[in-house]
Structures are given as C-alpha cells and as structure tokens.
Amino acid sequence: MEIQKTEVAKNPETDDTIETTKQNQSEEEVEHCDEQKQEEDELRSVLLSDIGDLPLTPPSATQVNFVSYFITDFTKPGHDQYIYRHANGLCVIGLAPTHIAFKDEGGITNIDFNVGKSDRSVLKVSGKRKKNAMRSESNTALCKVSTAKDSYIVRCCVKGSLLEVNERLIKQPQLLNSSADREGYIAIIMPTRPADWTKNKESLITLEEYKAKKEVSL
Amino acid sequence: MSDESKPASGDSAGLLNGHVTHCDPKTRRVNEAARSLHPSAVKDLLSLGVCERCILRLITVATFDSDLATVSSSTLRGWLGSGVEEAASPETSICIVCLGILQFVFSDDKQTLVKMKSDCGSGHAAWITDLVKQQGHEFDSFGLEVSLPSTISENERAVFDEAWLQSEKVSVKDALKVLVLDPLRASLGAKSDSSSFHIRLTYSKASDDAQGVSETTHERKKRKTDVVYADEENGSSCISENPFEKVYEPCILSVHCNQMPIFFSGRYFKYSRNVSQSRWIIDDERMGEASVEEIIGGSILPACLGDSYKFHAAGREDIDVRMLGSGRPFLIEVQNSRKCPSQQSLTEIEEKINNSEKKLVGVKDLKFIGSECWAMMREGEAEKQKQYAALVWISRPLEEEDCNSISSMIELKTPIRVLHRRSPLERERTIHWMKLEKIKGNTHYFLLHLCTQAGTYIKEFVHGDLGRTTPSMGSILGCRAEIIQLDVTDVKMGDS
C-alpha cells in the first residue's frame, strides 16, 4: 500500500527543522536529515504493517465496546429503550429507535430532568466510590421528553447508582432525534451488585431479538 | 587464663583469694571491673540463675565493650569471685534474664540444642557465618540486626529495681552485638555499616507446649498484664507467675539475610496488539498472550537470583496499542537479590529478548541504576508529551481542507471505559499538534499523528465517547469518526 504524504499541518517542530536544514547544509546535517527521514519511513511502514483489509464501514466504538440490550413497552406501550452495557459493568441508557416519541411530528423538542423528587441534572457525583449518586430502581423516572403532541417518561430500566445524565440534551434536545444511540444518550448507571444486573437482564432482550420483534410489529 | 578462686563462703572482704596470672591489658580491665563488684550481691544473683555476662552488664559501671568478647563465661565466673555451691553446674543452667542468649546457648531451626564449644563470640560468629553463606548472597558489607523476645525486659525488671535499670545500662541486644560483631566481621570478611545488606538474628521463645505451638502475641500480652513485677528491695510481691522459675529451654535462633531492592532501568517496545503491560488475569484466565512485565522481569530475576520483582513504567498503554518509537522508560525492582549481574550479562539479556522468536517485546538501554531511579521516572511528569499515530475512519471522504489542523485544548470527561474505577471529573488536556496523513487509494481512512499532554485519552478523542469529549475528531471534521488502531510513537521524558 503506497502512502501519499500530505503534510499541511502547522507543526512548529518538524516543519521548521526540515526547512532550516535545507538551507544550511553541511555534510553531517544532510546525513542526519536523511537518517531522520529513513526513520520516519521505517516508522510509517511499521504503523501500517498490520492493517490488513480495511472494511468500508468499520464497526462503531459502541458496537465494539458495548453489548446492546433493549427493553420494549416498558410500563407503557411504545416506550422502547436501549441499555448498552460496557465490559466494566456500566450501562448507558437511551431511547431506542422505535420509541413512540419519534413518531410524533417534529420529533422531540424538549427534555426535562426534573421529575420525581429531584432534578437529575444537578446531582454531583464525586470520587471513586461515587458518593452522592442517586440510587435508582428499574422503574425510577429518569426524565421527561416532550414533543409537540405529548410528553413521555423515560425510566432507568437498571437498578443501580445514577452516575451521570447527559446535560447537553437540555440545550440541544435535537440530539435525541439525530443520534439517540450516540450523542443523544440519556444517562449512565452503575449497577451496584452483579446480582442486581443478572436479575435485571431477565427482562431485557438482545439486539437480534429486538430487530425480530420490531420487524414483525411494524 | 586465670586460676579459679577457691569458694570462700561468707567472705565479705571483697577480695579474691585466687590470683590472676595473665596480663592481657584488655581482659585485665574486665577482670578489674568484675572484681570491683560486691560479692554478696553477685552471689545472690548467681544463685538466682542470672548469668555472668548479664551480671556484668547490669551492675558494672565500666563500659561493656568488645574486650569482653574473648572472655569465656567460666573465666568470668572466676573473676566475679564468689563460688556458688548449691546451684547446678554452670553448664546446664540457662540465665533467667537473657534466656541463654548471652551464654550462646540456643536451639536452631530444627529445635536442636546448640551450645558453643568455645564459649565466646567467635564460636557464635562461626555458626552464624555458616548460615549466612548458605543463603548465597554476595556482599562486602553488612548491617547486623537483632530481634529478641519481649519477655527479656520483663525478666530484667523482675530481678532489678526499675530505678536502677533506668540509668544507662547495656541492653541484651547491645551486649550481644558487642560480643558478636568483631568476630563476625572477621569470619565473613566484610565491613559492618548501615549498608543495604542486612543479617537479622531472631531469637524467639521456645514454647512450653509439647506440640510446639507457639503462643500468640495476644496471649502473651494478656499474660504480661497478669504479672506484677516483684520489687526485691522491699520484698512486696503479689506475683501470679514466678519469673524466677528455672528456664529449661533456650530460645530458638534463626538467621535471615536480606538485601535491599536493586533497580534496573531501560526503555521497552511493545510490538504486539495482544500483550498487556502487566500481568492481567481475570478468573484464572490470562488476558492477552503475555505481558511486558513478565517478559522483562522474568529474564532479569534469574540473573539476580532474587526472590521476586516489581515492574514500574512511566505511564501505560492499552493491550491493543503498540509502543514504538523511542520506547517507554521502565524500572525493574528486584527483591532480595543474591548477586548483581554485570553490564555484560544485562546486555545479553537485552539481546535475548530482542532476538526472541515471537518478537512481542523489545528492550533498549537496560542498565543498573541506583537511588536516582525514582527521580528519573518522575522527571517532567507533568510536562510529559506523548506522540501517537492513529488509524482513523470517517463517515465522509477526506478533503484537502481537513488537513489543516490546529493545536487545541480539549475538555474531556472521564471516559466511560474507566468510569467504573475512577472519579467522574472533567479534565482539560492540550493537544500540542496534529497531522493528518492521507492513505493512497482510500478516502475514508487516514493516519492521524498527534502530540498530546500526558493523560489524554486518544481513543475517546477520536470517537468522541458519546459526545463526552469535546472537541473530538468527529466534531472537528463534522462527521462520525472511529479509531481502528493506535500506536504510541514517542514518550518524551525531560531529558530526551
């Protein structure tokens, strides 16, 4: 695989050195410059040595690092959510593409984290032990998303500690419409005990099952 | 050698009947010191079962020093001047204060009684030397440490008045060191100083239990509070335990040598995407094929004949990230090494790792390093810059304008992949420079070279970590970006 080098970067270090050596060249400096270039070429070939075939679309970071689970019709019909679980146990919660809110015209216009007893967006979790995190059950309300027509409650689906909610959604609720499965995630929850997750898992379905189910009902 | 004096019971004149024939100036001083003691006090103590050296060190005002090392206890007894008829013969009676330690009577590890034939320091030193040589250390200087049973100070207090003991008296520990250090120096052929090599003599109380189960510290402490120290002077005592009981079993002596840790430094390369930096085992299963730590440490440890090693590196990389360029600085710490390998053997180890069949890890500049090693590791830690090359995919074709890149500050929240074990924080990190390199024949993939501040998560910078790292490659280029592979191309330390 040949490589075409296009160095148009503002890199003070290498750009300047290459230029100055070209101007004042003694034999030694030429040698050094050549050596450097050789090293760079060697490095480049090593960098690309084990690429293999590059697929047209590689798997996304979410697909690589997380296992996707779904829950459908949670407490109400049409309330479909996803739970992406990382290898370290953390769960990212969000709206699945078939959530009823997306069917309303204009999509989601607003999100409000002030549900239940407290405003979820003001909690401050600190430290390795995740102090002050709100404890949640699977049906604890997380937030309320509103469309032109109606508003819908989004719930935690996972029992554990609420580590973080996506505050960016407050100012940019359209993220939910454009990329609910990435930048439009709603919250991150840490299951407190492995036993809790195993129990939770029983009510969830896998990606394959989700696709099959939704295909049929659509 | 002096003549033994004839026992003169009831003699309170304080003078020897026997006469001293030798005239070694060193031992004469000891002789005089011994003779200056009040004989009836000495007689009482001897009959109690206190040994000659303990008497001398606790009563005499003269300095208890190395001159005493060459004087046997039977000679000493003679000089102390009072015969004790009713006590058992000196050979078998173990001192109730020092428990036989200063008499050079003890049991070895196998509970066999050991009694030095020549009852002075050099015999004891010879025995210790044997054990030290067995452990195989190479050294030219040593530090001597002594550990004694705690009951010895109780014994001292039981026999002598507390006030008397408060004034400067030679402790059993110091007395033993005085008696043994010079002969030990001679027989080991080494200097003694506060060096990095320690010889520890541990005396522990032999148990009374026939099965040899030793008393726990808790039980011993409990027992201590039960004993009320007897005061000899006014005779009041309510002892529940008799400290004047005959001691039948001497202490068990074990000799242990320890070398302080030694360090080796170097830089390592990681060529494989399936090798972790340190040993990584989950549920008995190893993650990855091998680890840098085990490959390097496992080669150095046998050359040092050490007990174990620790691996320290200036930063770390993921298991699927290669370490190229100038390598990452590391330290290997070896515990209790028996010998220090030469630079020649270190070079051989380096070559062996670099020429190994699998080519997983490489090493350079492997060398012995002294106490400045930690300073070296910490050098420029905050300013440490790291250089990376990442293979990036974007969802739209790369265009010429994209290659103008800027140095920028990025704000990153603790990445999800480490959030479970680290505090949720927002951190600011600097990207010093970035360079996009096209790959011929491919518009969606390119090589991203960047130089960042230490502590920047590169993978999260590329794919955005669900929008929690801003800006990200995706947000800068206005599309989705994914990272395919990552390599570290340089770790700049302060000096390089």
Side-chain angles (χ1 to χ4, degrees), chain B residues 78 84 104 219 282 315 319-320 324 426 486 490:
Chain B
V84 182
F104 303 131
E219 289 170 41
I282 297 182
I319 188 173
D320 59 348
L324 309 170
E426 273 177 32
L486 179 63
D490 202 2

Side-chain angles (χ1 to χ4, degrees), chain A residues 10 12, chain B residues 404-410 430-434 451:
Chain A
K10 291 197 171 50
Chain B
N404 294 325
S405 55
I406 39 167
S407 122
S408 59
M409 286 288 270
I410 63 173
T430 314
I431 305 221
H432 297 291
W433 53 261
M434 281 195 287
C451 180

